[in-house]
Amino acid sequence: MIRDSKQSYYITTPIYYVNGLPHVGSALTTLSCDVLARYQKMKGKHVVFLTGTDENATKVQQAAEKVGVPTMEFVDGLATAFQECWTDLHIEHTDFIRTTEQRHVQAVQEFFRLLVESGYVYKDTYEGWYSVSDETFFRDSEVKDGIAVESGKPVVRVQEENYFFKLSAFTQPLLDHIEANPSWLLPEFRKNEVVSFLKEGLRDMCITRTNKGWGIPVPGDESKVIYVWFDAVINYLAATGWHENPNWAEAWPPDVHFMGKEIFVRFHATLWPAMLMALGLPLPKQVYGHGWWTIGGQKGGKTGASLPHPTRLAKFIAERSGAEAPLAVDALRYLLCREMNFGPDTEFTVENLLRRFNTDLANDMGNLLNRTINMMVKFYEGIVPEVTTPDADIVALAGEVRAGYEQALSVFRLNEALEVAWRLVARMNKYIDEKAPWALSKAAKAGDAASAEALAQVLTACLEVSRIVAVLVAPYMPVASKAILAQLGYAHSDTAPLWEETAWKGLPAGTKVGPPQPLFPRIQELTVADDILFALGSANPEPTEKKENVSKVSDATTPIGTPVPPSPPVDPTADYIGIEDFAKVKLVVAEILAAEPVPNTTKLLRLTVQASEDDTRTILSGIAEYYTPEELVGRQIVLLANLQPRKMRGIESQGMLLAADVEGKAILLQPDKSVPIGSRVR
Ligand code: MSP
């Protein structure tokens, strides 16, 4: 009943935790899938593109509690914020699943029931470490000083009677599957990580938690809820209508599960395929793990090393460049896919994006189009001339580029596909310089027939390459692609172009081209001040007033760069610093997780502090004479987070806590009431 040569192409993003707004990290995964989905549509496939939200996690419940909003109301607001953001980014998913929906809950419970029946799920007592932040259990060997070594997140000791999944039974079957399917896990180096992980041997996994009023209850045992990861991965199957809709297998198995590296090894390359094996269901055909956007080498996220909100960033690009809003969104889509190394991590900066906007879009592509169309208007009044033979070298290069683009996307290297396409753009800009059409036109006007023929050949080659590039970029920049094709007078229906249209065919003689309309005006100001970066960030979902509906914070419409009112007169004798100087100082609220004296010193304490959800670091502080380690653990402090790290006593201190200096004694500064970790102090 399960067809392997299905006509449909099924692609999935991870489902996003609704404990904060989307940012360019979550957007990268969704956007990549959108590009791949559009590419498959171009190739004539019926595409099923699933995304959604992961709502049953303890950390989601905690985030709701922190802001005093009922959990369901909280998740509704954020699920809407994700959906709106994807619409703003021109994402064309075919389904959006929420794990609080009945179709998901029922599928999870059915899956669980079947595993109990098959003997792969059994009851036992679990004692061990659990990280709420990672929603993951850790072994003793994976925990040091109350911190999970892998993620740097705090863990708590739990002991409960629970249900277990016989994951240990799947070590060898998974290794066998990897060996028999060399391109199942990509990229290659991440596959090797999975193999090493499996070779350590899998242990059975505790897959339930005590029911604290949030999560999917274990069927027949309401005192427990199903472990959120066990529940979450089933979304991919639930969305097909598995166990309810007789046609569910039309989409199954997925062609690719696409995700960031942190959820690749344990969950998508191990747990999920083992769960499917346990029920005898076909495995996804490919699983791909991309790297992270990092800021200062650390994973960028919603707090701490904060990444911009995608919609705000697109608006900012529109404001800076003067591009129309939908084109600025397309530019952002291009820039994120082009800047990211689909493999290792990539350092994120807005300035890098702006720079690439200028080089790739305003200059390279913009120049090719504008020069081509302007010359067409000037030399041929915009009417495509007859040409007998196209330039064979350019035709050959276009063919190579087409193949290179296909090859890059077949292994999910979205940046490389663009890089390959831009080889053609660069070649044509050079070609125009070399062939000097203006000189050919002059000679042609003076009656030289060879020059007239050459001019037609050069300009039709430029037109054809522009058309091919516009089709190649359609999955990345659907709106811009249409706008370019329209300027080229290329007759196409309202639907996106098809892959066949990337082949060389030439615009028919007589086609009316133009008028030229620059789509991506050059950005003049490339530097981005810290306060703007801060305003672009994906803020925590804290409503300004308690109990305000969380969906209000999804509003990313506040204009960036709102004019600053005139400053009051300044006292020239005062020792002022400007607000831009203060904006350079990154102060955040952090929590002390652990404290211990530094051996052989009387003054220094070594503190482990959590500066954001994803940022745990070590700082050294000279407060040992005023505070004992026990007094400090659990306290909130104000941390200077962007102080240049420095080594003292062989230990690197990654920041500084703030204290009042009272006659030489340190008195710690802390917020008036408990606030979310990572909150900015300004
Ligand atoms: N809910 C789980 C996934 C369950 S799938 C059955 C989860 N959610 S998440 O919201 O924390 O992250 C989802 C995805 O966002 C990550 O896999 C990753 O693709 C993406 N990113 C989050 N931060 C990122 C960066 N800093 N950089 C790139 N992508 C990042 O994990």
Side-chain angles (χ1 to χ4, degrees):
M1 133 167 142
I2 292 157
R3 287 190 286 142
D4 205 34
S5 56
K6 37 184 199 95
Q7 267 313 293
S8 62
Y9 180 86
Y10 183 20
I11 181 166
T12 68
T13 73
I15 45 174
Y16 299 98
Y17 286 130
V18 283
N19 58 345
L21 293 173
H23 50 68
V24 293
S26 22
L28 177 84
T29 318
T30 312
L31 198 48
S32 307
C33 291
D34 189 60
V35 169
L36 293 165
R38 286 174 185 267
Y39 170 66
Q40 292 297 336
K41 270 187 256 176
M42 259 178 124
K43 292 218 148 182
K45 292 267 182 174
H46 166 73
V47 168
V48 182
F49 171 13
L50 175 69
T51 187
T53 40
D54 190 351
E55 305 186 357
N56 298 319
T58 317
K59 64 176 163 187
V60 170
Q61 189 184 20
Q62 287 177 345
E65 274 168 11
K66 259 189 192 162
V67 291
V69 174
T71 315
M72 201 57 221
E73 200 180 301
F74 180 84
V75 297
D76 280 348
L78 280 160
T80 307
F82 272 88
Q83 277 163 307
E84 284 173 355
C85 181
W86 301 155
T87 306
D88 289 344
L89 290 184
H90 307 157
I91 304 294
E92 280 189 346
H93 48 280
T94 57
D95 196 358
F96 189 100
I97 192 164
R98 297 181 54 184
T99 57
T100 46
E101 281 174 53
Q102 271 314 301
R103 60 171 169 159
H104 177 77
V105 173
Q106 278 165 8
V108 170
Q109 291 184 326
E110 180 62 11
F111 204 106
F112 193 97
R113 235 188 320 263
L114 290 174
L115 285 178
V116 173
E117 250 174 54
S118 68
Y120 280 114
V121 162
Y122 61 93
K123 221 170 176 182
D124 202 352
T125 299
Y126 174 79
E127 187 180 354
W129 300 106
Y130 187 70
S131 154
V132 174
S133 179
D134 296 320
E135 306 281 3
T136 304
F137 297 97
F138 288 100
R139 308 171 188 189
D140 285 347
S141 62
E142 294 168 328
V143 171
K144 195 164 180 281
D145 300 333
I147 304 285
V149 178
E150 186 183 296
S151 64
K153 303 282 169 54
V155 291
V156 284
R157 193 85 187 157
V158 292
Q159 186 188 26
E160 289 174 359
E161 176 152 80
N162 266 311
Y163 292 82
F164 284 74
F165 173 53
K166 265 195 195 156
L167 188 57
S168 57
F170 297 96
T171 307
Q172 199 50 47
L174 285 169
L175 283 167
D176 293 345
H177 189 78
I178 293 173
E179 201 177 332
N181 301 275
S183 59
W184 181 47
L185 302 176
L186 287 176
E188 186 75 14
F189 69 93
R190 284 199 214 291
K191 169 168 94 179
N192 301 338
E193 285 172 37
V194 176
V195 171
S196 312
F197 180 70
L198 288 173
K199 285 194 172 156
E200 281 175 29
L202 295 173
R203 295 188 324 160
D204 290 357
M205 180 186 254
C206 176
I207 54 161
T208 52
R209 312 285 304 134
T210 301
N211 188 346
K212 292 185 181 148
W214 190 248
I216 301 182
V218 168
D221 184 353
E222 294 275 319
S223 70
K224 303 275 174 220
V225 289
I226 295 171
Y227 169 45
V228 68
W229 265 105
F230 202 84
D231 131 17
V233 282
I234 296 173
N235 88 86
Y236 304 127
L237 191 61
T240 65
W242 172 74
H243 104 90
E244 286 217 326
N245 178 347
N247 300 327
W248 71 274
E250 280 177 11
W252 197 262
D255 289 77
V256 61
H257 286 319
F258 204 88
M259 75 209 63
K261 65 179 184 180
E262 77 280 22
I263 57 175
F264 180 78
V265 177
R266 281 170 187 265
F267 299 114
H268 286 87
T270 304
L271 173 65
W272 176 226
M275 287 165 65
L276 290 168
M277 281 176 172
L279 287 195
L281 292 168
L283 304 194
K285 291 186 188 165
Q286 287 192 301
V287 186
Y288 178 87
H290 64 72
W292 292 332
W293 290 123
T294 56
I295 295 187
Q298 294 174 41
K299 182 185 179 210
K302 289 162 188 142
T303 55
S306 162
L307 288 170
H309 185 285
T311 313
R312 286 185 202 144
L313 185 53
K315 286 202 164 98
F316 174 66
I317 291 175
E319 281 172 23
R320 271 279 164 107
S321 65
E324 283 171 28
L327 290 167
V329 167
D330 269 20
L332 178 62
R333 292 170 57 103
Y334 172 90
L335 297 169
L336 291 175
C337 292
R338 179 64 186 84
E339 272 293 299
M340 170 53 74
N341 279 311
F342 281 83
D345 295 344
T346 305
E347 185 69 6
F348 180 87
T349 74
V350 175
E351 288 177 3
N352 282 350
L353 298 187
L354 299 186
R355 218 165 291 134
R356 195 175 277 287
F357 180 100
N358 276 356
T359 54
D360 290 19
L361 300 178
N363 289 1
D364 297 348
M365 197 172 84
N367 278 348
L368 173 61
L369 273 174
N370 296 333
R371 290 165 96 188
T372 303
I373 299 179
N374 275 317
M375 287 191 291
M376 277 298 303
V377 171
K378 194 159 171 215
F379 303 145
Y380 294 105
E381 288 169 354
I383 307 296
V384 176
E386 198 77 57
V387 66
T388 35
T389 30
D391 186 318
D393 288 348
I394 304 293
V395 176
L397 180 67
E400 280 164 32
V401 162
R402 188 179 189 238
Y405 176 102
E406 247 184 321
Q407 161 59 25
L409 285 191
S410 74
V411 285
F412 311 109
R413 295 194 57 86
L414 280 82
N415 55 333
E416 224 170 82
L418 290 172
E419 195 188 320
V420 169
W422 253 243
R423 272 184 224 152
L424 198 50
V425 174
R427 175 72 197 106
M428 288 321 276
N429 275 323
K430 210 159 157 237
Y431 182 76
I432 296 175
D433 296 341
E434 286 165 7
K435 299 284 176 182
W438 41 92
L440 291 175
S441 161
K442 212 167 161 192
K445 276 196 188 131
D448 178 17
S451 295
E453 173 74 27
L455 180 65
Q457 195 190 48
V458 171
L459 281 195
T460 51
C462 292
L463 281 172
E464 184 58 358
V465 166
S466 303
R467 187 193 66 78
I468 290 172
V469 170
V471 178
L472 289 175
V473 298
Y476 296 83
M477 298 197 285
V479 178
S481 164
K482 273 189 192 159
I484 298 169
L485 293 175
Q487 287 189 38
L488 295 173
Y490 181 61
H492 64 101
S493 63
D494 205 34
T495 54
L498 294 173
W499 179 249
E500 292 79 73
E501 294 172 87
T502 57
W504 192 283
K505 54 180 187 171
L507 284 173
T511 302
K512 174 94 175 94
V513 173
Q517 262 173 353
L519 303 177
F520 300 112
R522 204 179 152 73
I523 294 174
Q524 300 305 330
E525 176 57 60
L526 290 175
T527 48
V528 186
D530 280 0
D531 55 340
I532 294 183
L533 284 180
F534 187 71
L536 291 174
S538 264
N540 265 331
E542 268 84 52
T544 35
E545 285 188 21
K546 274 201 160 192
K547 306 230 178 274
E548 192 181 345
N549 188 322
V550 115
S551 62
K552 288 194 183 150
V553 301
S554 72
D555 176 22
T557 54
T558 325
I560 310 299
T562 313
V564 183
S567 325
V570 274
D571 171 4
T573 60
D575 198 7
Y576 287 120
I577 59 165
I579 187 71
E580 65 288 356
D581 290 322
F582 180 65
K584 288 186 195 148
V585 180
K586 188 170 170 205
L587 296 171
V588 298
V589 174
E591 183 174 321
I592 302 182
L593 302 175
E596 55 181 327
V598 175
N600 305 323
T601 69
T602 50
K603 294 199 174 142
L604 279 184
L605 286 182
R606 175 198 180 121
L607 307 176
T608 307
V609 300
Q610 181 145 26
S612 79
E613 194 188 309
D614 302 305
D615 175 0
T616 307
R617 41 171 108 182
T618 299
I619 61 169
L620 295 184
S621 182
I623 54 171
E625 291 167 307
Y626 318 113
Y627 293 92
T628 61
E630 299 72 52
E631 279 177 274
L632 291 172
V633 173
R635 271 204 202 207
Q636 293 203 328
I637 52 157
V638 179
L639 175 77
L640 173 55
N642 60 345
L643 184 66
Q644 169 105 40
R646 70 178 179 126
K647 266 197 172 170
M648 288 185 272
R649 305 270 167 172
I651 305 167
E652 188 177 82
S653 180
Q654 300 152 327
M656 184 175 101
L657 56 70
L658 295 197
D661 181 347
V662 184
E663 294 171 17
K665 281 191 192 157
I667 310 286
L668 281 188
L669 293 191
Q670 68 182 95
D672 180 31
K673 20 182 131 107
S674 175
V675 299
I677 298 306
S679 299
R680 189 83 190 242
V681 178
R682 292 196 286 167

